[in-house]
DNA sequence: AAAGGTGTCAACCGCTCACTT
DNA sequence: GAAGTGAGCGGTTGACACCTT
């Protein structure tokens, strides 16, 4: 049985929006809100448009604080980093760029940024800008050097975008001063990697028990302590494990309870990483939480801390 | 100047997910 | 639990602008 259409296709207008239609939609939503029902909105607003079309027009063009125009180098960097880590989850990437829409970012990536990166990379590196899931070769072990990890290592080293260089890469050295607020009363190991990254856990293995559970708990505790520090809000956290990498913006209003909730749920599920990660991003306070999959926690893992 | 090629981006399509009945 | 429904998402399309020959 096919699905019922969301609107009467024969009686809705398609194609570009006229200024009059824009005005009607904007006026209606400003006065009445969306009412949580896009399907009925066009009729109420006096528009011969599909509800989905109205929603898209509002979200991508009419709503307040939409940013149009050139993307900054910083925005480029964030897009590249997130794309390398989570792939084409444009809505999640958009959530990290205030004023930008997923459609905008998607178009920008497909038409400009991807080419920009390609032009900067030698042919042999072109596959490295693919998100992790699309890379056919296995993810290198964390026992290898930082810049041997795919994607993120070179992406985070761009300012503006530049090539990865194992020789010139300055990231891999310890720097205790980055660990402000990070409690060392757990036995969790950590490394700091240059001025941009702090790695939670050890490179080879951060587990302190054979099954990894204790190390995991300690890692979480350490992470929580770290995040509770006033020094460490509004930062990007990059986590990685044997199969994937992920990165989240740490909300300024990070709360301990939410961290517990988030971690606790994740640790007991063992579900597919990507799915759960996305769910966490969506469900946890504007998508600003880190998720960890238990099965993957048992593998080599680390979290990197960007600022 | 005209034709063809390319780039850009707004909008559409079809799908999944979450929620309700 | 199954079916129905709406919201939201990512991939794709198509119209238009601009560039090249």
């Amino acid at each position: 049985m096919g699905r019922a259409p969301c609107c009467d296709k024969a009686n809705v207008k398609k194609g570009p929006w006229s200024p009059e239609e824009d005005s009607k939609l904007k006026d209606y939503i400003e006065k009445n809100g969306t009412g949580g029902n896009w399907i009925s909105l066009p009729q109420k607003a006096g528009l011969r448009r599909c509800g989905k079309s109205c929603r898209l027009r509002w979200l991508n063009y009419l709503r307040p604080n939409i940013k149009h125009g050139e993307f900054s180098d910083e925005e480029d960097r964030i897009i590249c980093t997130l794309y390398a880590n989570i792939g084409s989850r444009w809505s999640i990437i958009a959530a990290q760029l205030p004023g930008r829409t997923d459609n905008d970012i998607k178009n920008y990536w497909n038409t400009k940024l991807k080419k920009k990166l390609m032009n900067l990379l030698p042919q042999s590196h072109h596959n490295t800008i693919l998100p992790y899931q699309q890379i056919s070769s296995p993810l290198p072990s964390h026992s290898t050097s930082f810049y041997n990890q795919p994607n993120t290592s070179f992406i985070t080293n761009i300012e503006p975008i530049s090539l990865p260089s194992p020789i010139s890469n300055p990231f891999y050295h310890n720097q205790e001063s980055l660990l402000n607020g990070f409690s060392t009363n757990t036995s969790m190991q950590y490394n700091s990697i240059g001025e941009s990254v702090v790695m939670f856990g050890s490179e080879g293995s951060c587990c302190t028990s054979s099954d990894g559970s204790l190390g995991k708990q300690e890692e979480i505790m350490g992470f929580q302590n770290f995040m509770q520090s006033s020094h460490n809000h509004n930062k990007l956290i990059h986590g990685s494990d044997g199969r994937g990498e992920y990165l989240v913006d740490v909300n300024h209003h990070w709360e301990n309870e939410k961290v517990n909730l988030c971690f606790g749920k994740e640790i007991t599920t063992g579900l597919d990483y990507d799915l759960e990660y996305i769910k966490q991003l969506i469900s946890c306070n504007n998508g600003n939480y880190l998720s960890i999959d238990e099965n993957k926690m048992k593998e080599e893992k680390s979290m990197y801390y960007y600022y």
Side-chain angles (χ1 to χ4, degrees):
Chain A
M1 176 177 149
R3 193 186 152 153
C6 65
C7 54
D8 181 1
K9 303 274 184 195
N11 285 317
V12 296
K13 188 184 167 194
K14 289 164 83 172
W17 283 64
S18 68
E20 291 75 27
E21 288 176 308
D22 280 349
S23 177
K24 273 187 183 178
L25 180 60
K26 197 159 184 278
D27 287 349
Y28 180 84
I29 292 177
E30 281 173 355
K31 284 177 189 159
N32 306 290
T34 65
N37 188 343
W38 286 105
I39 298 300
S40 64
L41 189 146
Q43 195 180 7
K44 293 176 186 168
L47 289 161
R48 282 184 53 241
R49 288 278 182 175
C50 173
K52 288 173 80 169
S53 179
C54 292
R55 177 184 161 271
L56 208 64
R57 186 65 179 170
W58 172 255
L59 292 177
N60 288 337
Y61 196 81
L62 297 174
R63 76 181 151 102
N65 304 320
I66 290 286
K67 201 192 287 182
H68 295 292
E70 287 293 298
F71 282 70
S72 67
D73 287 345
E74 177 63 11
E75 286 174 316
D76 282 0
R77 192 185 65 78
I78 292 170
I79 294 167
C80 289
T81 304
L82 288 172
Y83 184 86
N85 282 279
I86 64 174
S88 57
R89 276 77 159 179
W90 302 118
S91 60
I92 295 172
I93 295 172
Q96 306 302 323
L97 298 171
R100 300 292 188 186
T101 69
D102 53 356
N103 210 34
D104 252 1
I105 294 167
K106 180 171 57 183
N107 283 333
Y108 180 58
W109 171 263
N110 286 330
T111 60
K112 293 178 184 173
L113 196 49
K114 192 161 62 178
K115 290 170 191 166
K116 194 172 166 183
L117 279 169
M118 287 294 190
N119 289 336
L120 286 165
L121 285 170
Q123 196 67 38
S124 60
H125 283 76
H126 279 187
N127 69 338
T128 62
I129 68 166
L130 294 171
Y132 170 69
Q133 291 84 347
Q134 294 177 22
I135 295 172
S136 56
S137 60
L139 187 70
S141 161
H142 285 293
S143 61
T144 61
S145 65
F146 173 71
Y147 32 72
N148 279 345
Q149 294 169 44
N151 314 320
T152 311
S153 53
F154 90 88
I155 292 290
T156 53
N157 197 24
I158 51 175
E159 192 58 38
I161 295 163
S162 60
L163 298 177
S165 170
I167 296 168
S168 62
N169 192 316
F171 279 86
Y172 199 76
H173 61 84
N174 290 326
Q175 193 171 40
E176 294 291 330
S177 62
L178 286 170
L179 297 169
N180 294 333
F182 184 86
S183 170
T184 54
N185 63 5
T186 74
S187 60
M188 174 188 163
Q189 298 177 16
Y190 59 84
N191 291 295
S192 58
I193 302 175
E195 295 184 357
S196 298
V197 181
V198 170
M199 185 172 79
F200 291 82
S202 65
E203 274 195 309
S205 167
C206 65
C207 300
T208 55
S209 61
S210 58
D211 66 358
S213 59
L214 182 57
K216 178 174 63 192
Q217 284 300 323
E218 288 166 345
E219 181 166 339
I220 292 161
M221 287 171 62
F223 178 72
Q224 285 180 250
N225 288 333
F226 180 78
M227 291 320 305
Q228 285 164 27
S229 162
S230 61
H231 300 286
N232 298 316
H233 291 146
N234 281 335
K235 309 291 172 59
L236 290 178
I237 295 292
H238 171 231
S240 63
D241 55 39
R243 282 176 285 176
E245 301 186 46
Y246 32 91
L247 185 146
V248 290
D249 190 8
V250 177
N251 192 289
H252 182 75
H253 302 294
W254 189 283
E255 294 170 19
N256 193 28
E257 294 84 347
K258 291 178 182 172
V259 177
N260 279 326
L261 185 67
C262 194
F263 278 123
K265 184 179 175 184
E266 276 308 303
I267 286 160
T268 56
T269 59
L271 297 174
D272 177 73
Y273 158 71
D274 281 328
L275 185 61
E276 281 307 299
Y277 171 59
I278 292 165
K279 284 178 181 174
Q280 284 295 342
L281 284 175
I282 293 165
S283 64
C284 296
N285 191 24
N286 298 324
N288 291 326
Y289 292 95
L290 175 68
S291 66
I292 296 176
D293 182 292
E294 179 174 24
N295 291 335
K296 293 168 188 172
M297 290 290 290
K298 290 176 181 174
E299 301 174 18
E300 291 177 328
K301 59 191 176 296
S302 59
M303 300 178 200
Y304 298 98
Y305 163 51
Y306 295 77
Y307 69 104

